[in-house]
Amino acid sequence: IACMTARLHREKDPLRSKEMFSECVRLFQRYESNIDEQKHPTRLYADYGIALCRTGDADNAVRILEKACAAGATPPEAFGYLGLAYQAQDKWKEAEAALREGLQLAVEDPVLTRHLAVVLEKRNKPAEAAAMYADAALAHKRVNRLEDAAELAASALRLAPGDPQALVLAVEIE
């Protein structure tokens, strides 16, 4: 219940959300040794790792999310948070791999595409980053997050000023 409450309050009440994610971490730490005994531990590891990531514990988040991702039937957001945890550790190659894996499960996911674009830019892959920023802009436009879409299209154009997809998106969003 704590994890669900934390997610529900993430945008409207970030302080409450962080408190609830901290409560999730405390509960999972208390019962961590029992997770492997469960019939389907993947979701539990994913929720635990997400809570660790949300509370700023990247090292433990990586440890737990790697277990979730190795266990099979992993939710795409586990790969996304694993990518974020790797980013916090400046492990850009690993972050890219995790985010790409998540995108294989959730094609065109707005959050995963945005984070992958950032990682690609950080890894000095400007052409790939520009294309991914444009994809992220389109994904955000599809879910009616137009302000984010405009920002992402601008990032694509910053890296590739003549990118046709980014130019079209920038005009459509304005």
Side-chain angles (χ1 to χ4, degrees):
I1 293 176
C3 289
M4 184 174 61
T5 303
R7 287 184 178 162
L8 289 172
H9 290 286
R10 192 170 42 211
E11 290 188 26
K12 292 184 180 178
D13 190 354
L15 182 60
R16 174 92 169 117
S17 178
K18 187 165 183 160
E19 289 170 1
M20 294 309 298
F21 276 121
S22 295
E23 179 63 20
C24 289
V25 169
R26 282 192 290 281
L27 290 169
F28 278 119
Q29 286 172 335
R30 187 172 177 189
Y31 297 103
E32 183 175 343
S33 62
N34 300 82
I35 294 175
D36 280 328
E37 298 169 8
Q38 304 305 307
K39 188 174 181 180
H40 302 288
T42 304
R43 183 75 245 181
L44 294 172
Y45 278 128
D47 287 342
Y48 184 15
I50 289 167
L52 286 163
C53 200
R54 284 298 204 166
T55 58
D57 188 350
D59 293 339
N60 281 313
V62 165
R63 179 178 63 83
I64 296 298
L65 288 166
E66 283 178 342
K67 284 184 180 186
C69 294
T74 308
E77 66 266 21
F79 288 102
Y81 278 97
L82 180 57
L84 290 174
Y86 281 137
Q87 282 179 286
Q89 296 177 327
D90 291 327
K91 293 181 178 178
W92 302 103
K93 183 178 179 182
E94 292 86 348
E96 179 182 343
L99 291 164
R100 286 190 188 280
E101 186 76 25
L103 278 169
Q104 286 180 358
L105 299 172
V107 178
E108 299 178 0
D109 179 275
V111 175
L112 294 175
T113 54
R114 172 193 287 265
H115 288 296
L116 182 55
V118 170
V119 168
L120 291 169
E121 184 174 3
K122 200 74 165 162
R123 293 201 65 210
N124 200 27
K125 297 180 175 184
E128 286 182 70
M132 191 56 61
Y133 277 124
D135 288 349
L138 183 58
H140 279 77
K141 181 180 178 228
R142 285 187 184 127
V143 295
N144 208 28
R145 296 193 69 150
L146 300 181
E147 189 174 307
D148 290 334
E151 174 191 323
L152 292 160
S155 293
L157 290 170
R158 176 177 45 79
L159 294 175
D163 182 273
Q165 182 183 5
L167 286 167
V168 168
L169 281 167
V171 169
E172 286 180 355
I173 293 166
E174 292 297 315

